[in-house]
Amino acid sequence: EIGLAEESRFNPLKVLHSLLEPAEDDFPDVAVVGISNWALDAAKMNRAVHLSRPEPDGKDLYLTGKSLAQAALQNASQGGKHLTMAQDNALKALAEAYFEYEQKQTHKNFHGLRDYYSLIKCICLPEHVNTSAVVKPQFNL
């Protein structure tokens, strides 16, 4: 999470400069992939490929959740199982609920997309048949 390093008073990203910008005609010895929930300063962003994505809407959340759920079901049953109508409806409801929750959070980004994705994966595990038992602890309910 490059954004957290950017906020540090110790400026830990400085150690990467010599690795990413070696002497003339040399290629860097390491590859670095950094992710962030906010834009970095221009000096750091001009040294890399920058991919910016908009915030997902309810439909994006549902489609991503459905894709994660289908992959989890296929892995659990070696490719033979599909989402039921009830599971699909539950994913739609979760996507809508998360989208509304995310918009109304008191502390912005307290629960982020990683939490939503983790929740979907956890719900799709074969040992979790009670969705409520998974959702409540995830959001401290």
Side-chain angles (χ1 to χ4, degrees):
E1 170 56 80
I2 296 293
L4 294 176
E6 176 84 0
E7 296 295 313
S8 173
R9 64 183 178 164
F10 301 110
N11 207 358
L13 295 178
K14 289 273 187 196
V15 298
L16 294 177
H17 287 247
S18 63
L19 295 172
L20 297 176
E21 295 179 2
E24 219 173 283
D25 297 328
D26 279 342
F27 287 105
D29 293 330
V30 294
V32 176
V33 175
I35 61 171
S36 182
N37 289 331
W38 52 83
L40 305 175
D41 69 45
K44 288 181 182 67
M45 289 174 52
N46 73 3
R47 292 180 169 92
V49 174
H50 176 231
L51 172 66
S52 183
R53 297 196 49 190
E55 292 294 321
D57 61 12
K59 183 180 178 184
D60 292 332
L61 289 168
Y62 162 69
L63 291 174
T64 303
K66 184 176 179 178
S67 178
L68 288 169
Q70 286 173 329
L73 284 173
Q74 287 180 355
N75 287 339
S77 64
Q78 280 71 39
K81 201 167 183 186
H82 296 284
L83 288 173
T84 65
M85 183 66 79
Q87 289 169 322
D88 191 60
N89 289 337
L91 287 172
K92 285 178 186 172
L94 278 171
E96 290 172 19
Y98 176 79
F99 183 72
E100 288 177 24
Y101 171 78
E102 209 269 331
Q103 300 296 314
K104 297 175 183 176
Q105 282 189 74
T106 306
H107 304 288
K108 188 153 175 59
N109 293 323
F110 185 76
H111 287 110
L113 286 174
R114 286 177 239 179
D115 297 302
Y116 174 71
Y117 299 153
S118 175
L119 174 65
I120 297 297
K121 289 177 184 177
C122 190
I123 287 172
C124 293
L125 293 174
E127 60 268 16
H128 286 86
V129 292
N130 184 353
T131 303
S132 165
V134 174
V135 173
K136 287 182 179 181
Q138 188 86 15
F139 291 97
N140 295 324
L141 300 174

